[in-house]
């Protein structure tokens, strides 16, 4: 059974940093691309970042480019999102998700339960 | 502002059929890229409902079906049940954007 468990969320001041983790189990972690998707309170879904299975390629939404860094440790079956220079508009629930499909047809087959990041003074 | 537009809300009585549209353009749905659908029950994480236009993951009831025509896609729920009350999002790929996918604006389904 695929399981994804995020951790690391919390309250942080504007300009601060936070690192999210996502522990994966139930599948061959290194064989799959992974992504982070966020949802601001009462808003829709935003695909924030993604990383290939071997970490050879990454993606960042324009809204977080230059401030967020996605990485993975395939020996620990763990996905990370390092967030710096946080802004109030980064306040959201952050979900990690397992990517399926292929180029032009990626979809998110499994999601974690999410971790809340609140940026406020 | 998403490139995939959904109606903010749809509603129906138990047992009825409701449809949710996902309107795109020639750089996404109209270009032939697959459309996927997610269901988000209140207070929970999204869950994959339909992938590749019309395929259901194991465990998803066949009351849910997807289709595509031109630059739009649709999710149909037949035999609407109280537990179907949720937010629904479409997702596809857009060749004019740099990301692996883009979500629709989301639709709240209310069971009357």
């Amino acid at each position: 059974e695929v399981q994804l468990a995020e951790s690391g969320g919390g309250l942080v001041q504007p300009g601060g940093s936070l690192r999210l983790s996502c522990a994966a189990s139930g599948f061959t972690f290194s064989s799959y691309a992974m992504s982070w998707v966020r949802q601001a309170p009462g808003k829709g879904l935003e695909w924030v970042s993604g990383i290939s299975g071997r970490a050879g390629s990454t993606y960042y939404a324009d809204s977080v480019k230059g401030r967020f860094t996605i990485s993975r440790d395939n020996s620990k079956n763990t996905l990370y999102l390092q967030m710096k220079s946080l802004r109030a508009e980064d306040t959201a629930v952050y979900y990690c998700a397992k990517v399926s499909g292929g180029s032009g047809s990626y979809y998110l087959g499994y999601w974690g339960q999410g971790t809340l990041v609140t940026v406020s003074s | 502002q998403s490139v995939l537009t959904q109606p903010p809300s749809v509603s129906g009585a138990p047992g009825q059929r409701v449809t949710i549209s996902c309107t795109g353009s020639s750089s996404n749905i109209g270009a032939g890229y697959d459309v996927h659908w997610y269901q988000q029950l209140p207070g929970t994480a999204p869950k994959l409902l339909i992938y590749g236009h019309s395929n259901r993951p194991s465990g998803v009831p066949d009351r849910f079906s997807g289709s595509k025509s031109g630059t739009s896609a649709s999710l149909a729920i037949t035999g609407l049940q109280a537990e179907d009350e949720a937010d629904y999002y479409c997702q596809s790929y857009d060749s004019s954007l740099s990301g692996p996918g883009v979500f629709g604006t989301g639709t709240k389904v209310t069971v009357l």
Side-chain angles (χ1 to χ4, degrees), chain A residues 67-96:
Chain A
R67 301 186 300 121
F68 290 11
T69 302
I70 190 171
S71 62
R72 62 192 297 160
D73 186 335
N74 287 341
S75 69
K76 296 182 178 179
N77 289 352
T78 303
L79 176 72
Y80 302 100
L81 186 67
Q82 178 69 52
M83 305 184 294
K84 300 180 178 179
S85 304
L86 284 162
R87 307 166 181 167
E89 54 265 36
D90 295 318
T91 294
V93 175
Y94 285 74
Y95 298 101
C96 74

Side-chain angles (χ1 to χ4, degrees), chain A residues 39 59 95 104-106 108 111-112, chain B residues 34 38 40 45-46 89 91 99:
Chain A
Q39 185 172 37
Y59 159 75
Y95 298 101
S105 184
Y106 292 117
L108 303 171
W111 300 62
Chain B
D34 285 345
Y38 303 87
Q40 186 175 30
Y89 294 89
Q91 178 245 307

Side-chain angles (χ1 to χ4, degrees), chain A residues 35 37 39 43-47 50 59-60 62 65 95 103-114, chain B residues 33-34 36 38 40 43-48 51-52 87 89 91-93 98-105:
Chain A
S35 283
V37 175
Q39 185 172 37
K43 302 297 184 181
L45 302 172
E46 180 187 12
W47 203 319
Y59 159 75
Y60 299 96
D62 287 343
K65 200 172 292 182
Y95 298 101
S103 181
S105 184
Y106 292 117
Y107 60 92
L108 303 171
Y110 294 89
W111 300 62
Q113 84 286 351
Chain B
Y33 294 111
D34 285 345
H36 319 289
Y38 303 87
Q40 186 175 30
T44 69
K47 167 191 146 183
L48 179 67
Y51 65 98
D87 292 323
Y89 294 89
Q91 178 245 307
S92 187
Y93 173 79
S98 61
V102 60
F103 291 102
T105 51

